[in-house]
Amino acid sequence: SAEKLEVRFAPSSHAYDGRYANNGWMMECPDPITKLTWDNAIQISPTLAKELESAQGIQIFPAKKPMNKDSAFFEGAKGTLQTNKANFRRGKEEAVVVELTVNGVTIEAPIHVVPGLANYTVVLPLGLGRKVVGRVGQGVGFDAYAVRTSSSLGCALGASIKLTEKTFHLANTQEHWSMEGRALVRENTAAAYTKTPDFVNKIGVESHAPSNYAKDDGKSLQEKSVNQYRGNSAYEHPAFSKPLPNVKVWEGNEDKFPVPQQWGMAIDLNSCTGCTACVVACQSENNVPIVGKDQVLRGREMHWMRIDRYFSAEKYDQTEVPDDVQVSFMGMMCQHCENAPCEQVCPVNATVHDSQGLNTMAYNRCVGTRYCANNCPYKVRRFNFLDWNKRQIGEFYKGPLGPVDEPELEKMNANPNVTVRMRGVMEKCTFCTQRIESAKIEQKRLAGASDDIRIPDGNIKVACQQACPTDAITFGDISDADSEVSQMKASERNYSVLGYLNARPRTTYLARLRNPNPEMPDAYEKPYAYAQYDERYGHGSHGDHGAGHDDHGAGHDSHAVPAHDDHSAHGHDDHGHDHSSH
């Protein structure tokens, strides 16, 4: 009951049992479920939160703000936005501080509501709140060991919670938890997949929209990757299969032109567990800076890759935060779009496309307009608001007037093959271009006088792929039909996120399959995410209409609702705003 709670002690995703409390990469990596950084919080269920709120009269959930049911907005949106599970003010989660009493010992800590927890069980993450630790872990989080005894190492019974009037800012990197019925993470059951293996083509906008490639829709992935067919685009791209018209050296020798390899990625959502190993691997490989809690609160985290976590409920009730949920994870980084929206708005050509299909960054051209970040539908671009790598800690806001602090020991922490970015510059995932270039140099060395300069499949592993414990990420040459990534993209489960925008991302996803036991009382016909899409947008399966638009991963995403869908793949708030007025 709410008066006699069960307490579960669990290692923190940031510090484990405390041994990593001084590791900045771990502190800033969001927890896979709570999405919190630089803190731990007492995790409670929505049911317990509602009972505490009702009994003690202190608000935990945000006030309900139903949309006007008589408005055109409501009709267009087909419902209200899902109630959030925390109060946010200008991007900062305002968590209620509580007094938790266990075995006569009381601690104070903020609470965080987590759908899916048992109703009267609270979770205390261990390892933070250390008093004697290095400068990174000093004063981070609360110490849960204070209420843990040798007789209750794993759990304790009879705990109680008292809400206080105090609040605490938690650095949460994902404000909204619901897909709002949109088909971002596509799921089905194994049984349904055997009957309709191409189900990903039959949901979302693409299921009833013209193909992005128009008359060239039937071409193979390999042909599309090197020829860059115009399709329904507003303008034509130069084909990678031919030399550029302004390079005269190939005139009369077009047949000798070496067609560049085309790089792409596939992420299998069946295999992804949301562990975030890829996030830290990317940070290590690409010299991504640690910015600290204050800057994360302002939406300035710098991770090139993030793991979006969504909850889906059996009953789609936008007015309540559900208890029984299914969790979906999606790794999101720069998609390296062939029709990249960011490239079209950069006034100085700082972000451009190369002949290998990469969306590249020229850091010394960037003047920091941030137009590209505004125009990115995936919200994966990161801006260096401050000089993280050069200035003394605590002196960032002085900019070029701040004292320089570049210890030689810390310089050795950086990857020498990757540029260290400066203040005022935009950055993002590069598909580990330094590894691609290194492999090209090595292959040319091995080739000698021969023309065997194509990199064999499997020679390049990007950092996130290398770190993934379940091999969910595949990277390689999509112009080679026999490459592993091409075979992954040939799967009927392959789709693009927000593909209806005709951005043509080089990164595609393989839909997740769940396998419920039909004999169990909680067996379901459709995964909750798929059922919510069906319920909210009322189309379900469209038969064969619009199926199979694009074996290059033509995306399949849920309906674009002009009233509230900002085309962001990160719920309804990408937490990428500058809250510098605070």
Side-chain angles (χ1 to χ4, degrees):
S1 69
E3 291 76 32
K4 293 184 178 180
L5 301 170
E6 177 191 40
V7 175
R8 288 279 178 176
F9 299 100
S12 163
S13 69
H14 301 301
Y16 192 58
D17 57 0
R19 69 187 72 181
Y20 302 118
N22 203 45
N23 186 319
W25 286 344
M26 298 290 286
M27 290 295 106
E28 195 147 297
C29 182
D31 181 278
I33 297 296
T34 66
K35 309 308 293 181
L36 298 180
T37 68
W38 292 102
D39 265 310
N40 54 350
I42 298 173
Q43 299 170 23
I44 67 174
S45 70
T47 290
L48 178 58
K50 292 168 192 171
E51 291 189 18
L52 292 173
E53 193 177 52
S54 174
Q56 301 185 29
I58 293 178
Q59 183 179 344
I60 297 175
F61 295 105
K64 290 183 170 57
K65 297 177 181 177
M67 298 176 188
N68 183 356
K69 292 190 177 184
D70 297 324
S71 70
F73 184 97
F74 183 87
E75 294 298 325
K78 298 188 178 181
T80 63
L81 291 180
Q82 184 75 56
T83 299
N84 216 339
K85 59 187 180 67
N87 275 303
F88 284 90
R89 181 176 173 80
R90 295 181 65 88
K92 302 177 182 180
E93 180 177 342
E94 295 187 336
V96 175
V97 175
V98 305
E99 294 177 354
L100 174 71
T101 302
V102 187
N103 297 327
V105 180
T106 300
I107 58 171
E108 269 197 2
I111 57 172
H112 181 81
V113 177
V114 180
L117 276 182
N119 288 344
Y120 300 111
T121 296
V122 299
V123 177
L124 268 61
L126 301 170
L128 276 73
R130 294 183 59 177
K131 303 295 189 295
V132 181
V133 68
R135 68 178 185 181
V136 172
Q138 192 72 36
V140 175
F142 72 93
D143 183 9
Y145 282 113
V147 294
R148 187 181 186 228
T149 65
S150 57
S151 60
S152 58
L153 292 176
C155 68
L157 303 176
S160 63
I161 286 180
K162 179 184 177 183
L163 305 182
T164 72
E165 298 283 351
K166 293 184 282 187
T167 59
F168 183 83
H169 281 155
L170 293 174
N172 191 332
T173 60
Q174 185 175 347
E175 296 181 23
H176 205 63
W177 56 268
S178 172
M179 286 186 278
E180 300 290 351
R182 299 182 299 162
L184 299 177
V185 178
R186 306 203 174 181
E187 302 182 354
N188 212 336
T189 62
Y193 174 66
T194 58
K195 297 177 183 177
T196 315
D198 61 341
F199 74 94
V200 295
N201 296 323
K202 299 181 178 182
I203 57 177
V205 171
E206 292 81 358
S207 61
H208 53 82
S211 164
N212 290 336
Y213 282 98
K215 64 183 178 62
D216 295 308
D217 185 46
K219 297 289 200 307
S220 69
L221 166 62
Q222 289 67 46
E223 291 175 303
K224 290 173 180 175
S225 68
V226 297
N227 290 306
Q228 299 292 289
Y229 300 114
R230 177 174 176 176
N232 290 324
S233 299
Y235 54 88
E236 291 188 17
H237 295 295
F240 298 144
S241 58
K242 303 173 184 176
L244 293 173
N246 61 337
V247 182
K248 304 300 182 184
V249 70
W250 294 108
E251 285 186 4
N253 296 294
E254 287 84 356
D255 58 322
K256 297 180 181 179
F257 175 71
V259 178
Q261 291 177 275
Q262 302 299 313
W263 307 110
M265 180 179 286
I267 300 177
D268 190 350
L269 300 180
N270 251 358
S271 301
C272 178
T273 63
C275 70
T276 69
C278 52
V279 176
V280 177
C282 174
Q283 185 165 23
S284 170
E285 171 72 16
N286 293 294
N287 300 334
V288 175
I290 301 164
V291 301
K293 179 179 177 178
D294 177 66
Q295 298 299 317
V296 175
L297 282 169
R298 299 172 189 272
R300 295 174 177 175
E301 63 271 18
M302 295 299 296
H303 289 132
W304 287 5
M305 185 174 186
R306 68 174 190 264
I307 303 294
D308 288 344
R309 177 269 298 127
Y310 298 105
F311 296 118
S312 304
E314 182 176 16
K315 182 183 178 184
Y316 190 28
D317 182 359
Q318 295 104 315
T319 64
E320 297 291 340
V321 178
D323 279 298
D324 187 15
V325 295
Q326 291 177 349
V327 184
S328 305
F329 295 108
M330 171 174 276
M332 183 59 60
M333 73 293 282
C334 175
Q335 305 286 286
H336 292 271
C337 308
E338 293 174 356
N339 286 342
C342 55
E343 295 172 11
Q344 301 164 24
V345 295
C346 180
V348 293
N349 271 7
T351 179
V352 293
H353 229 69
D354 72 5
S355 60
Q356 302 170 95
L358 301 186
N359 174 256
T360 61
M361 281 295 305
Y363 297 124
N364 60 339
R365 285 187 200 162
C366 181
V367 295
T369 65
R370 292 184 281 161
Y371 294 165
C372 55
N374 287 338
N375 222 37
C376 175
Y378 303 98
K379 303 306 174 194
V380 289
R381 288 179 160 266
R382 300 289 175 255
F383 184 69
N384 287 274
F385 283 92
L386 302 170
D387 226 340
W388 313 115
N389 295 294
K390 192 172 183 178
R391 305 297 162 191
Q392 281 184 14
I393 292 177
E395 304 289 343
F396 295 126
Y397 282 100
K398 294 180 181 178
L401 301 178
V404 173
D405 183 21
E406 296 181 285
E408 291 301 317
L409 191 61
E410 289 190 17
K411 284 184 182 180
M412 294 173 67
N413 178 56
N415 183 348
N417 294 326
V418 179
T419 304
V420 176
R421 284 77 61 189
M422 66 296 293
R423 174 173 171 260
V425 167
M426 189 66 70
E427 60 183 68
K428 58 156 197 87
C429 163
T430 64
F431 267 173
C432 287
T433 185
Q434 69 279 3
R435 296 192 176 195
I436 295 174
E437 294 305 311
S438 177
K440 286 163 67 176
I441 293 169
E442 177 63 12
Q443 185 59 32
K444 287 179 180 178
R445 184 190 69 80
L446 294 173
S450 74
D451 60 357
D452 183 20
I453 59 173
R454 292 182 73 82
I455 303 169
D457 187 40
N459 275 23
I460 301 174
K461 284 189 178 292
V462 290
C464 55
Q465 174 189 16
Q466 188 176 21
C468 182
T470 60
D471 290 332
I473 301 172
T474 307
F475 177 82
D477 180 8
I478 61 173
S479 66
D480 175 8
D482 296 324
S483 68
E484 184 180 2
V485 69
S486 291
Q487 293 173 19
M488 293 288 282
K489 287 176 178 286
S491 167
E492 290 161 318
R493 293 189 290 126
N494 187 61
Y495 73 100
S496 292
V497 175
L498 304 182
Y500 61 88
L501 299 178
N502 194 25
R504 303 184 190 176
R506 282 283 175 97
T507 299
T508 57
Y509 296 82
L510 271 65
R512 178 176 181 176
L513 300 180
R514 297 181 184 266
N515 194 18
N517 185 344
E519 303 299 323
M520 297 297 288
D522 60 348
Y524 48 87
E525 184 179 347
K526 289 183 178 180
Y528 296 168
Y530 193 174
Q532 286 185 7
Y533 166 79
D534 252 359
E535 181 178 340
R536 180 148 194 176
Y537 295 107
H539 292 285
S541 174
H542 294 273
D544 291 328
H545 177 48
H549 286 310
D550 178 8
D551 59 3
H552 182 26
H556 312 282
D557 194 61
S558 63
H559 291 244
V561 182
H564 75 277
D565 188 350
D566 64 355
H567 303 313
S568 167
H570 193 0
H572 289 267
D573 194 316
D574 61 82
H575 195 62
H577 305 297
D578 172 22
H579 305 298
S580 55
S581 61
H582 278 235

